[in-house]
Amino acid sequence: LTIDSAGRVLLPQRVAFVGKKTDTSQYNGNASTNVTFNLTELAHASWNGTTFTVPVAGLYRLFINGHRQSTDTVPMEVGIFKNGTMIESGYTLGVASTRPRATAETLVVLAVNDAITFRVPQGNVFAGGDATSSGLMCSGYLIG
């Protein structure tokens, strides 16, 4: 680690990732299917686009956000999974005239080799088609 002349602490490597689903397909919910994100930013080596395998034990912030593809009355849910079990979810009721957004985020203590995945247990989510404003995205980073 280094400290520059302004007093900023610079780290040689950050444990962080951002995954975005940017293709134009709709992602249909399934409780057992992990989302594969086709665009990765801030990619730590422990993120492969589908699974974040925890490299360092500690407190992490995890996040998923998505908006509905269709304008029907079917509910939509996004979830954060740890070792295959949902630890947090965001839910929205279906609204016939809009495409609501659902978000889930959590702070969680993780152990080395815990596997974090993201899923859409129900409903459908718009994938995006735009790398700058993805319809479905996730992120995570080590707080300490």
Side-chain angles (χ1 to χ4, degrees), residues 50-92:
T50 302
T51 304
F52 174 66
T53 304
V54 176
V56 178
L59 178 66
Y60 284 80
R61 178 194 180 263
L62 303 170
F63 173 86
I64 184 171
N65 182 306
H67 73 268
R68 290 186 46 80
Q69 169 69 26
S70 59
T71 56
D72 57 29
T73 58
V74 176
M76 182 193 74
E77 182 179 24
V78 294
I80 301 169
F81 288 70
K82 173 185 161 190
N83 301 324
T85 301
M86 189 178 328
I87 59 172
E88 191 61 65
S89 71
Y91 180 86
T92 182

Side-chain angles (χ1 to χ4, degrees), residues 101-115:
R101 185 169 286 278
T103 299
E105 70 178 295
T106 188
L107 294 177
V108 61
V109 175
L110 299 173
V112 172
N113 293 323
D114 278 343

